[in-house]
Amino acid sequence: MTSENQQRGRRLHFNLFFPFAPDYVWSQQSRTDIYYDFDALTALVRSAERGLFSAVFYGESLRLREHLGMLNTDAITGRPDALVLFAHLAARTEHIGLVATLNTTYFEPYDLARRIGTIDVLSGGRAGWNIVTTDSAWTGANFRKGGYLPHTDRYTHAAEHVDIVQALWDAWPDSAPITPLDAFEWADTYYRITAQPEWPRSPQGQPVFFQAGESDQGRDFAARYAEGIFSRYLEFGAALDFADDLGRRLVAAGRPADDLRIFPATSIVLGDTDADARDRHEWFRDQVWTDRRTRAVIEKVWGRDLSDLDLDGPLPDAPPTIVKQSRSHGVMNSRDRPQAIAQQWRELSQERGFTVRTLVRHLAPSAGFVGTPAGVADRLAEYVRAGAIDGLNLTPTAFPDGLDEIVDRLIPELQDRDVYPSEYAGITLRENLGLSTNVARREIRDRTLAV
């Protein structure tokens, strides 16, 4: 592990992250459609920019999730098109990066390259692409592609998709005038296309690549392509192990071990004292974990309506009615093993004396950092100096004003510890993340195959 003295030049990066679940205090807003209001979104993003956040990261949901065969009303999953929103934000911000989640399974390479390349030019070099892939037939039905891609092929397909996008961007020389260029041709396993690039390069050359895969395949994919990766590891030891593993994979892929920025997702709750912060955190959890949302966690595993379930009593006596949880309604909660998970929950509840409500609270992810501004700053400084993380994908606890305390109280403490920037490093997302030329442009690879 690199010593702390060697790591003192490291800087922490914050991204503003919009999750799918109701992690904001909804009860404080009289209008549910405010989460689709461009002016409200702009206000939150401007707060992030005031706090020198590196980027706003927008997840994608290509189909509304369901619960027991009906629309899931516990989570906002429909959302504006990220690139349309970013065109709006690019005109109303100056420095913050704009990272869109775009799916390689359902979007055609040429269309994706053109759209996100346009945002990169329009914003002056602030675009990023979170590369995701899926084999969900349920989501694919919206694109007339239900179930066309086998699960085992999703990363092979994604690699070819990204290579085509990269080749399209590379087809426009750095110094080319805005005049028609020669057509680009590609033929391989999944695609056979002839295309003519229509967009020049931005000041950062091309959008920054992000990725979020957790499997070995996903980590190897990140080592080959990604410049940022979204992580679920917040515990200090686990975060270090994840960073070390990625470092080894990067070296094996011919890259420096520190050539990728790691961003766990979390939230931060601050208070005047540690006790005050814990009280605020508990209040927040009470607000977002409504009775309906708590009951839905159990219903997803049991596979039936449990509206009569006493949340302050034990789990249902009867076992789940399903043997295998359907993947057709969005994200699963039981890893496709309802019977086994129900038994584990029973044993845990008996051991700890949990009611349904306290069990769900125990299982639910909690805020990663709770404390005074100085205390949280000390912990974050330890993480970044040790090389465990490079930044955080921060979910605000309210909307649209949920970042003000972080910007006004926490960031000055981080700057005092010399682990957070005092100004933007440059005009592009790549500069502000301290990244060099995109990895694909550092090596000569002939991606153009004869047709």
Short mmCIF file of all heavy atoms in Angstrom, two decimals, residues 89-153:
data_model
loop_
_atom_site.label_atom_id
_atom_site.label_comp_id
_atom_site.label_asym_id
_atom_site.label_seq_id
_atom_site.Cartn_x
_atom_site.Cartn_y
_atom_site.Cartn_z
N LEU A 89 -28.62 21.64 -19.25
CA LEU A 89 -27.69 22.00 -18.18
C LEU A 89 -26.39 22.60 -18.71
O LEU A 89 -25.78 23.44 -18.05
CB LEU A 89 -27.38 20.77 -17.33
CG LEU A 89 -28.53 20.24 -16.47
CD1 LEU A 89 -28.13 18.94 -15.78
CD2 LEU A 89 -28.94 21.28 -15.42
N ALA A 90 -25.96 22.16 -19.89
CA ALA A 90 -24.72 22.68 -20.45
C ALA A 90 -24.78 24.19 -20.66
O ALA A 90 -23.78 24.89 -20.54
CB ALA A 90 -24.40 21.98 -21.77
N ALA A 91 -25.98 24.69 -20.97
CA ALA A 91 -26.16 26.12 -21.20
C ALA A 91 -26.31 26.90 -19.91
O ALA A 91 -26.27 28.13 -19.92
CB ALA A 91 -27.37 26.35 -22.10
N ARG A 92 -26.50 26.19 -18.79
CA ARG A 92 -26.77 26.86 -17.52
C ARG A 92 -25.70 26.60 -16.47
O ARG A 92 -25.86 26.97 -15.31
CB ARG A 92 -28.16 26.41 -17.00
CG ARG A 92 -29.29 27.01 -17.84
CD ARG A 92 -30.58 26.25 -17.71
NE ARG A 92 -31.63 26.90 -18.48
CZ ARG A 92 -31.76 26.81 -19.81
NH1 ARG A 92 -30.90 26.07 -20.50
NH2 ARG A 92 -32.73 27.43 -20.44
N THR A 93 -24.62 25.94 -16.86
CA THR A 93 -23.48 25.70 -15.98
C THR A 93 -22.21 25.99 -16.76
O THR A 93 -22.24 26.14 -17.98
CB THR A 93 -23.46 24.24 -15.48
OG1 THR A 93 -23.46 23.36 -16.61
CG2 THR A 93 -24.67 23.95 -14.61
N GLU A 94 -21.08 26.04 -16.04
CA GLU A 94 -19.82 26.39 -16.69
C GLU A 94 -18.74 25.32 -16.55
O GLU A 94 -17.89 25.19 -17.43
CB GLU A 94 -19.28 27.70 -16.12
CG GLU A 94 -20.18 28.91 -16.38
CD GLU A 94 -19.59 30.19 -15.79
OE1 GLU A 94 -18.45 30.12 -15.26
OE2 GLU A 94 -20.25 31.23 -15.84
N HIS A 95 -18.76 24.58 -15.45
CA HIS A 95 -17.61 23.70 -15.15
C HIS A 95 -17.99 22.24 -14.90
O HIS A 95 -17.19 21.35 -15.19
CB HIS A 95 -16.87 24.22 -13.92
CG HIS A 95 -16.35 25.62 -14.05
ND1 HIS A 95 -15.27 25.94 -14.83
CD2 HIS A 95 -16.79 26.78 -13.50
CE1 HIS A 95 -15.05 27.24 -14.75
NE2 HIS A 95 -15.96 27.78 -13.96
N ILE A 96 -19.13 21.99 -14.34
CA ILE A 96 -19.45 20.65 -13.86
C ILE A 96 -19.60 19.67 -15.03
O ILE A 96 -20.17 20.01 -16.07
CB ILE A 96 -20.71 20.66 -12.97
CG1 ILE A 96 -20.82 19.37 -12.17
CG2 ILE A 96 -21.97 20.94 -13.79
CD1 ILE A 96 -21.83 19.46 -11.02
N GLY A 97 -19.08 18.45 -14.84
CA GLY A 97 -19.20 17.42 -15.87
C GLY A 97 -20.59 16.84 -15.94
O GLY A 97 -21.39 16.95 -15.00
N LEU A 98 -20.90 16.20 -17.06
CA LEU A 98 -22.25 15.69 -17.33
C LEU A 98 -22.11 14.24 -17.79
O LEU A 98 -21.79 13.97 -18.94
CB LEU A 98 -22.92 16.54 -18.41
CG LEU A 98 -22.96 18.06 -18.13
CD1 LEU A 98 -23.29 18.83 -19.40
CD2 LEU A 98 -23.94 18.38 -17.02
N VAL A 99 -22.37 13.30 -16.86
CA VAL A 99 -22.14 11.88 -17.13
C VAL A 99 -23.48 11.19 -17.31
O VAL A 99 -24.29 11.12 -16.39
CB VAL A 99 -21.34 11.22 -15.99
CG1 VAL A 99 -21.09 9.74 -16.31
CG2 VAL A 99 -20.02 11.95 -15.77
N ALA A 100 -23.70 10.64 -18.50
CA ALA A 100 -24.96 9.98 -18.83
C ALA A 100 -24.75 8.47 -18.87
O ALA A 100 -23.76 7.98 -19.38
CB ALA A 100 -25.46 10.46 -20.18
N THR A 101 -25.73 7.73 -18.34
CA THR A 101 -25.75 6.27 -18.44
C THR A 101 -26.45 5.90 -19.74
O THR A 101 -27.62 6.23 -19.93
CB THR A 101 -26.48 5.66 -17.24
OG1 THR A 101 -25.80 6.02 -16.04
CG2 THR A 101 -26.53 4.14 -17.36
N LEU A 102 -25.73 5.22 -20.63
CA LEU A 102 -26.27 4.85 -21.93
C LEU A 102 -25.98 3.38 -22.18
O LEU A 102 -24.85 2.91 -21.99
CB LEU A 102 -25.65 5.71 -23.04
CG LEU A 102 -25.91 7.23 -22.88
CD1 LEU A 102 -25.07 8.01 -23.87
CD2 LEU A 102 -27.38 7.53 -23.07
N ASN A 103 -26.99 2.66 -22.62
CA ASN A 103 -26.95 1.20 -22.67
C ASN A 103 -26.45 0.69 -24.01
O ASN A 103 -27.01 1.01 -25.06
CB ASN A 103 -28.36 0.67 -22.38
CG ASN A 103 -28.37 -0.77 -22.00
OD1 ASN A 103 -27.93 -1.63 -22.75
ND2 ASN A 103 -28.88 -1.05 -20.80
N THR A 104 -25.42 -0.16 -23.98
CA THR A 104 -24.86 -0.69 -25.22
C THR A 104 -25.78 -1.74 -25.84
O THR A 104 -25.64 -2.04 -27.04
CB THR A 104 -23.50 -1.34 -24.96
OG1 THR A 104 -23.63 -2.40 -24.00
CG2 THR A 104 -22.50 -0.32 -24.44
N THR A 105 -26.69 -2.31 -25.07
CA THR A 105 -27.55 -3.37 -25.60
C THR A 105 -28.64 -2.82 -26.52
O THR A 105 -29.02 -3.45 -27.50
CB THR A 105 -28.20 -4.16 -24.45
OG1 THR A 105 -27.17 -4.63 -23.58
CG2 THR A 105 -28.99 -5.35 -24.97
N TYR A 106 -29.16 -1.64 -26.20
CA TYR A 106 -30.34 -1.15 -26.90
C TYR A 106 -30.09 0.07 -27.78
O TYR A 106 -30.90 0.38 -28.65
CB TYR A 106 -31.44 -0.83 -25.89
CG TYR A 106 -31.76 -2.00 -25.01
CD1 TYR A 106 -31.69 -1.92 -23.64
CD2 TYR A 106 -32.09 -3.23 -25.58
CE1 TYR A 106 -31.96 -3.02 -22.83
CE2 TYR A 106 -32.36 -4.33 -24.79
CZ TYR A 106 -32.29 -4.22 -23.42
OH TYR A 106 -32.54 -5.31 -22.63
N PHE A 107 -28.98 0.79 -27.58
CA PHE A 107 -28.70 1.96 -28.40
C PHE A 107 -27.71 1.60 -29.49
O PHE A 107 -26.69 0.97 -29.23
CB PHE A 107 -28.15 3.10 -27.55
CG PHE A 107 -29.12 3.62 -26.52
CD1 PHE A 107 -28.73 3.77 -25.20
CD2 PHE A 107 -30.40 3.97 -26.88
CE1 PHE A 107 -29.62 4.25 -24.25
CE2 PHE A 107 -31.30 4.44 -25.94
CZ PHE A 107 -30.91 4.59 -24.62
N GLU A 108 -27.97 2.03 -30.71
CA GLU A 108 -27.07 1.76 -31.81
C GLU A 108 -25.78 2.59 -31.67
O GLU A 108 -25.83 3.75 -31.24
CB GLU A 108 -27.75 2.09 -33.14
CG GLU A 108 -28.94 1.19 -33.46
CD GLU A 108 -28.52 -0.27 -33.60
OE1 GLU A 108 -27.42 -0.53 -34.11
OE2 GLU A 108 -29.31 -1.14 -33.17
N PRO A 109 -24.63 2.01 -32.00
CA PRO A 109 -23.35 2.72 -31.79
C PRO A 109 -23.28 4.09 -32.45
O PRO A 109 -22.82 5.06 -31.84
CB PRO A 109 -22.32 1.76 -32.38
CG PRO A 109 -22.95 0.41 -32.31
CD PRO A 109 -24.42 0.65 -32.51
N TYR A 110 -23.72 4.17 -33.71
CA TYR A 110 -23.61 5.45 -34.41
C TYR A 110 -24.47 6.51 -33.73
O TYR A 110 -24.03 7.64 -33.50
CB TYR A 110 -24.02 5.32 -35.87
CG TYR A 110 -23.92 6.62 -36.62
CD1 TYR A 110 -22.71 7.02 -37.17
CD2 TYR A 110 -25.02 7.46 -36.75
CE1 TYR A 110 -22.60 8.24 -37.83
CE2 TYR A 110 -24.93 8.67 -37.40
CZ TYR A 110 -23.72 9.06 -37.94
OH TYR A 110 -23.61 10.27 -38.58
N ASP A 111 -25.70 6.16 -33.39
CA ASP A 111 -26.61 7.12 -32.76
C ASP A 111 -26.06 7.57 -31.42
O ASP A 111 -26.07 8.75 -31.09
CB ASP A 111 -27.99 6.48 -32.59
CG ASP A 111 -29.00 7.44 -31.99
OD1 ASP A 111 -29.19 8.54 -32.53
OD2 ASP A 111 -29.59 7.09 -30.95
N LEU A 112 -25.55 6.61 -30.62
CA LEU A 112 -25.01 6.97 -29.31
C LEU A 112 -23.78 7.86 -29.47
O LEU A 112 -23.64 8.87 -28.76
CB LEU A 112 -24.66 5.69 -28.55
CG LEU A 112 -24.19 5.85 -27.10
CD1 LEU A 112 -24.64 4.66 -26.26
CD2 LEU A 112 -22.68 5.99 -27.02
N ALA A 113 -22.87 7.49 -30.37
CA ALA A 113 -21.65 8.28 -30.56
C ALA A 113 -22.00 9.71 -30.98
O ALA A 113 -21.37 10.68 -30.52
CB ALA A 113 -20.77 7.62 -31.62
N ARG A 114 -22.97 9.85 -31.85
CA ARG A 114 -23.37 11.17 -32.34
C ARG A 114 -24.00 12.01 -31.24
O ARG A 114 -23.68 13.21 -31.07
CB ARG A 114 -24.35 11.01 -33.50
CG ARG A 114 -24.87 12.29 -34.11
CD ARG A 114 -25.67 11.97 -35.36
NE ARG A 114 -26.21 13.16 -36.01
CZ ARG A 114 -27.45 13.61 -35.82
NH1 ARG A 114 -28.27 12.96 -35.01
NH2 ARG A 114 -27.87 14.69 -36.45
N ARG A 115 -24.88 11.41 -30.46
CA ARG A 115 -25.60 12.17 -29.43
C ARG A 115 -24.68 12.62 -28.30
O ARG A 115 -24.68 13.79 -27.91
CB ARG A 115 -26.75 11.33 -28.87
CG ARG A 115 -27.87 11.08 -29.89
CD ARG A 115 -28.89 10.11 -29.32
NE ARG A 115 -29.57 10.67 -28.18
CZ ARG A 115 -30.00 9.94 -27.14
NH1 ARG A 115 -29.79 8.65 -27.11
NH2 ARG A 115 -30.64 10.53 -26.14
N ILE A 116 -23.89 11.69 -27.75
CA ILE A 116 -23.04 12.08 -26.62
C ILE A 116 -21.86 12.90 -27.11
O ILE A 116 -21.37 13.79 -26.41
CB ILE A 116 -22.59 10.85 -25.82
CG1 ILE A 116 -22.02 11.31 -24.46
CG2 ILE A 116 -21.58 10.01 -26.56
CD1 ILE A 116 -21.77 10.18 -23.49
N GLY A 117 -21.40 12.65 -28.36
CA GLY A 117 -20.35 13.50 -28.92
C GLY A 117 -20.83 14.93 -29.09
O GLY A 117 -20.06 15.89 -28.89
N THR A 118 -22.10 15.10 -29.44
CA THR A 118 -22.68 16.44 -29.57
C THR A 118 -22.69 17.15 -28.22
O THR A 118 -22.35 18.34 -28.13
CB THR A 118 -24.11 16.34 -30.13
OG1 THR A 118 -24.06 15.75 -31.43
CG2 THR A 118 -24.74 17.72 -30.23
N ILE A 119 -23.09 16.44 -27.16
CA ILE A 119 -23.09 17.05 -25.83
C ILE A 119 -21.67 17.43 -25.41
O ILE A 119 -21.45 18.48 -24.79
CB ILE A 119 -23.70 16.08 -24.80
CG1 ILE A 119 -25.20 15.87 -25.08
CG2 ILE A 119 -23.51 16.60 -23.37
CD1 ILE A 119 -26.04 17.12 -24.90
N ASP A 120 -20.68 16.61 -25.77
CA ASP A 120 -19.31 16.91 -25.41
C ASP A 120 -18.84 18.20 -26.07
O ASP A 120 -18.21 19.05 -25.44
CB ASP A 120 -18.40 15.75 -25.81
CG ASP A 120 -17.09 15.73 -25.04
OD1 ASP A 120 -17.08 16.17 -23.88
OD2 ASP A 120 -16.08 15.27 -25.60
N VAL A 121 -19.17 18.38 -27.35
CA VAL A 121 -18.80 19.61 -28.05
C VAL A 121 -19.60 20.79 -27.51
O VAL A 121 -19.07 21.87 -27.25
CB VAL A 121 -19.03 19.44 -29.57
CG1 VAL A 121 -18.81 20.77 -30.29
CG2 VAL A 121 -18.09 18.38 -30.13
N LEU A 122 -20.91 20.58 -27.32
CA LEU A 122 -21.80 21.64 -26.86
C LEU A 122 -21.38 22.18 -25.49
O LEU A 122 -21.46 23.38 -25.23
CB LEU A 122 -23.24 21.11 -26.80
CG LEU A 122 -24.34 22.07 -26.36
CD1 LEU A 122 -24.54 23.16 -27.39
CD2 LEU A 122 -25.65 21.30 -26.15
N SER A 123 -20.92 21.30 -24.61
CA SER A 123 -20.57 21.68 -23.24
C SER A 123 -19.12 22.14 -23.11
O SER A 123 -18.69 22.48 -22.00
CB SER A 123 -20.81 20.50 -22.29
OG SER A 123 -19.93 19.42 -22.60
N GLY A 124 -18.36 22.11 -24.18
CA GLY A 124 -16.96 22.50 -24.10
C GLY A 124 -16.07 21.43 -23.51
O GLY A 124 -15.04 21.74 -22.91
N GLY A 125 -16.46 20.15 -23.66
CA GLY A 125 -15.62 19.07 -23.17
C GLY A 125 -15.95 18.61 -21.77
O GLY A 125 -15.05 18.26 -21.00
N ARG A 126 -17.24 18.54 -21.44
CA ARG A 126 -17.63 18.15 -20.07
C ARG A 126 -18.44 16.86 -20.02
O ARG A 126 -18.98 16.52 -18.97
CB ARG A 126 -18.42 19.28 -19.43
CG ARG A 126 -17.59 20.53 -19.17
CD ARG A 126 -18.35 21.54 -18.34
NE ARG A 126 -19.26 22.36 -19.12
CZ ARG A 126 -20.48 22.74 -18.70
NH1 ARG A 126 -20.93 22.34 -17.53
NH2 ARG A 126 -21.24 23.50 -19.46
N ALA A 127 -18.53 16.11 -21.12
CA ALA A 127 -19.39 14.93 -21.15
C ALA A 127 -18.66 13.68 -20.69
O ALA A 127 -17.44 13.55 -20.83
CB ALA A 127 -19.93 14.72 -22.56
N GLY A 128 -19.44 12.76 -20.12
CA GLY A 128 -18.95 11.44 -19.76
C GLY A 128 -20.00 10.40 -20.11
O GLY A 128 -21.20 10.70 -20.15
N TRP A 129 -19.55 9.18 -20.36
CA TRP A 129 -20.45 8.07 -20.71
C TRP A 129 -20.27 6.96 -19.70
O TRP A 129 -19.20 6.38 -19.58
CB TRP A 129 -20.13 7.57 -22.11
CG TRP A 129 -20.90 6.35 -22.56
CD1 TRP A 129 -22.08 5.88 -22.03
CD2 TRP A 129 -20.55 5.44 -23.61
NE1 TRP A 129 -22.48 4.74 -22.69
CE2 TRP A 129 -21.56 4.45 -23.67
CE3 TRP A 129 -19.49 5.39 -24.51
CZ2 TRP A 129 -21.53 3.41 -24.58
CZ3 TRP A 129 -19.46 4.35 -25.43
CH2 TRP A 129 -20.47 3.37 -25.47
N ASN A 130 -21.34 6.67 -18.94
CA ASN A 130 -21.36 5.50 -18.07
C ASN A 130 -21.83 4.32 -18.91
O ASN A 130 -23.01 4.22 -19.26
CB ASN A 130 -22.29 5.73 -16.88
CG ASN A 130 -22.37 4.53 -15.97
OD1 ASN A 130 -21.40 3.79 -15.80
ND2 ASN A 130 -23.52 4.30 -15.36
N ILE A 131 -20.92 3.41 -19.22
CA ILE A 131 -21.19 2.30 -20.14
C ILE A 131 -21.88 1.17 -19.38
O ILE A 131 -21.30 0.61 -18.45
CB ILE A 131 -19.88 1.79 -20.76
CG1 ILE A 131 -19.13 2.93 -21.46
CG2 ILE A 131 -20.14 0.65 -21.73
CD1 ILE A 131 -17.68 2.60 -21.77
N VAL A 132 -23.11 0.85 -19.76
CA VAL A 132 -23.82 -0.25 -19.11
C VAL A 132 -24.33 -1.21 -20.18
O VAL A 132 -24.53 -0.85 -21.34
CB VAL A 132 -25.00 0.24 -18.24
CG1 VAL A 132 -24.50 1.06 -17.07
CG2 VAL A 132 -26.01 1.03 -19.07
N THR A 133 -24.54 -2.45 -19.77
CA THR A 133 -25.06 -3.47 -20.65
C THR A 133 -26.05 -4.32 -19.87
O THR A 133 -25.98 -4.40 -18.64
CB THR A 133 -23.94 -4.35 -21.22
OG1 THR A 133 -24.48 -5.28 -22.14
CG2 THR A 133 -23.20 -5.09 -20.12
N THR A 134 -26.98 -4.94 -20.56
CA THR A 134 -27.97 -5.79 -19.91
C THR A 134 -28.47 -6.82 -20.90
O THR A 134 -28.30 -6.67 -22.11
CB THR A 134 -29.15 -4.95 -19.38
OG1 THR A 134 -30.08 -5.82 -18.71
CG2 THR A 134 -29.88 -4.26 -20.51
N ASP A 135 -29.09 -7.87 -20.35
CA ASP A 135 -29.73 -8.85 -21.22
C ASP A 135 -31.21 -8.97 -20.89
O ASP A 135 -31.85 -9.94 -21.26
CB ASP A 135 -29.05 -10.22 -21.06
CG ASP A 135 -29.16 -10.75 -19.64
OD1 ASP A 135 -29.27 -9.93 -18.72
OD2 ASP A 135 -29.13 -11.98 -19.46
N SER A 136 -31.76 -7.95 -20.21
CA SER A 136 -33.15 -8.01 -19.75
C SER A 136 -34.13 -7.93 -20.92
O SER A 136 -34.23 -6.91 -21.61
CB SER A 136 -33.43 -6.85 -18.78
OG SER A 136 -34.81 -6.74 -18.52
N ALA A 137 -34.88 -9.02 -21.13
CA ALA A 137 -35.89 -9.03 -22.19
C ALA A 137 -37.03 -8.08 -21.86
O ALA A 137 -37.66 -7.51 -22.76
CB ALA A 137 -36.42 -10.46 -22.38
N TRP A 138 -37.31 -7.93 -20.58
CA TRP A 138 -38.39 -7.05 -20.14
C TRP A 138 -38.10 -5.60 -20.54
O TRP A 138 -38.95 -4.92 -21.12
CB TRP A 138 -38.54 -7.18 -18.63
CG TRP A 138 -39.53 -6.28 -17.99
CD1 TRP A 138 -40.89 -6.37 -18.05
CD2 TRP A 138 -39.23 -5.16 -17.15
NE1 TRP A 138 -41.46 -5.36 -17.31
CE2 TRP A 138 -40.46 -4.61 -16.74
CE3 TRP A 138 -38.05 -4.57 -16.70
CZ2 TRP A 138 -40.53 -3.51 -15.91
CZ3 TRP A 138 -38.12 -3.47 -15.88
CH2 TRP A 138 -39.36 -2.95 -15.49
N THR A 139 -36.89 -5.12 -20.28
CA THR A 139 -36.50 -3.78 -20.72
C THR A 139 -36.40 -3.73 -22.23
O THR A 139 -36.83 -2.77 -22.87
CB THR A 139 -35.16 -3.38 -20.09
OG1 THR A 139 -35.29 -3.39 -18.67
CG2 THR A 139 -34.74 -1.99 -20.54
N GLY A 140 -35.83 -4.77 -22.82
CA GLY A 140 -35.62 -4.78 -24.26
C GLY A 140 -36.90 -4.70 -25.08
O GLY A 140 -36.87 -4.28 -26.24
N ALA A 141 -38.02 -5.09 -24.47
CA ALA A 141 -39.29 -5.03 -25.21
C ALA A 141 -39.62 -3.61 -25.65
O ALA A 141 -40.30 -3.40 -26.66
CB ALA A 141 -40.42 -5.59 -24.34
N ASN A 142 -39.15 -2.62 -24.91
CA ASN A 142 -39.39 -1.23 -25.31
C ASN A 142 -38.61 -0.85 -26.57
O ASN A 142 -38.88 0.19 -27.17
CB ASN A 142 -38.97 -0.27 -24.17
CG ASN A 142 -40.05 -0.13 -23.12
OD1 ASN A 142 -41.16 -0.60 -23.30
ND2 ASN A 142 -39.72 0.52 -22.01
N PHE A 143 -37.63 -1.67 -26.93
CA PHE A 143 -36.78 -1.36 -28.07
C PHE A 143 -36.90 -2.42 -29.18
O PHE A 143 -36.06 -2.49 -30.05
CB PHE A 143 -35.31 -1.27 -27.62
CG PHE A 143 -35.08 -0.18 -26.61
CD1 PHE A 143 -35.27 -0.40 -25.25
CD2 PHE A 143 -34.69 1.08 -27.03
CE1 PHE A 143 -35.06 0.61 -24.33
CE2 PHE A 143 -34.47 2.09 -26.11
CZ PHE A 143 -34.67 1.86 -24.76
N ARG A 144 -37.95 -3.24 -29.10
CA ARG A 144 -38.14 -4.34 -30.04
C ARG A 144 -36.94 -5.28 -30.03
O ARG A 144 -36.58 -5.88 -31.04
CB ARG A 144 -38.39 -3.81 -31.45
CG ARG A 144 -39.68 -2.99 -31.57
CD ARG A 144 -39.98 -2.65 -33.01
NE ARG A 144 -38.95 -1.77 -33.57
CZ ARG A 144 -38.93 -1.36 -34.82
NH1 ARG A 144 -39.86 -1.76 -35.67
NH2 ARG A 144 -37.98 -0.55 -35.26
N LYS A 145 -36.29 -5.40 -28.87
CA LYS A 145 -35.11 -6.26 -28.74
C LYS A 145 -35.23 -7.15 -27.51
O LYS A 145 -34.25 -7.42 -26.82
CB LYS A 145 -33.84 -5.42 -28.64
CG LYS A 145 -33.48 -4.69 -29.92
CD LYS A 145 -32.14 -3.98 -29.77
CE LYS A 145 -31.71 -3.32 -31.06
NZ LYS A 145 -30.41 -2.64 -30.94
N GLY A 146 -36.41 -7.59 -27.19
CA GLY A 146 -36.61 -8.41 -26.00
C GLY A 146 -35.87 -9.73 -26.07
O GLY A 146 -36.17 -10.56 -26.92
N GLY A 147 -34.90 -9.92 -25.18
CA GLY A 147 -34.23 -11.20 -25.05
C GLY A 147 -33.32 -11.59 -26.19
O GLY A 147 -32.96 -12.76 -26.33
N TYR A 148 -32.86 -10.63 -26.99
CA TYR A 148 -32.05 -11.01 -28.16
C TYR A 148 -30.60 -11.28 -27.81
O TYR A 148 -29.86 -11.88 -28.59
CB TYR A 148 -32.13 -9.93 -29.23
CG TYR A 148 -31.10 -8.81 -29.10
CD1 TYR A 148 -29.97 -8.79 -29.92
CD2 TYR A 148 -31.26 -7.78 -28.18
CE1 TYR A 148 -29.03 -7.78 -29.80
CE2 TYR A 148 -30.32 -6.78 -28.07
CZ TYR A 148 -29.21 -6.78 -28.88
OH TYR A 148 -28.28 -5.77 -28.76
N LEU A 149 -30.13 -10.83 -26.63
CA LEU A 149 -28.72 -10.96 -26.28
C LEU A 149 -28.56 -11.92 -25.11
O LEU A 149 -29.04 -11.66 -24.01
CB LEU A 149 -28.15 -9.59 -25.89
CG LEU A 149 -26.66 -9.54 -25.56
CD1 LEU A 149 -25.84 -9.86 -26.81
CD2 LEU A 149 -26.28 -8.16 -25.02
N PRO A 150 -27.89 -13.06 -25.30
CA PRO A 150 -27.65 -14.00 -24.19
C PRO A 150 -26.84 -13.35 -23.07
O PRO A 150 -25.96 -12.51 -23.33
CB PRO A 150 -26.87 -15.14 -24.85
CG PRO A 150 -27.18 -15.03 -26.31
CD PRO A 150 -27.37 -13.56 -26.57
N HIS A 151 -27.11 -13.75 -21.83
CA HIS A 151 -26.44 -13.17 -20.67
C HIS A 151 -24.92 -13.30 -20.78
O HIS A 151 -24.18 -12.37 -20.44
CB HIS A 151 -26.94 -13.88 -19.40
CG HIS A 151 -26.35 -13.35 -18.14
ND1 HIS A 151 -26.71 -12.14 -17.58
CD2 HIS A 151 -25.38 -13.86 -17.32
CE1 HIS A 151 -26.02 -11.93 -16.48
NE2 HIS A 151 -25.21 -12.96 -16.29
N THR A 152 -24.45 -14.44 -21.27
CA THR A 152 -23.01 -14.69 -21.35
C THR A 152 -22.31 -13.83 -22.40
O THR A 152 -21.08 -13.70 -22.38
CB THR A 152 -22.74 -16.17 -21.66
OG1 THR A 152 -23.46 -16.53 -22.85
CG2 THR A 152 -23.18 -17.06 -20.51
N ASP A 153 -23.09 -13.23 -23.31
CA ASP A 153 -22.49 -12.46 -24.40
C ASP A 153 -22.54 -10.95 -24.17
O ASP A 153 -22.06 -10.19 -25.02
CB ASP A 153 -23.22 -12.76 -25.72
CG ASP A 153 -23.03 -14.20 -26.17
OD1 ASP A 153 -22.14 -14.87 -25.62
OD2 ASP A 153 -23.78 -14.63 -27.08
#
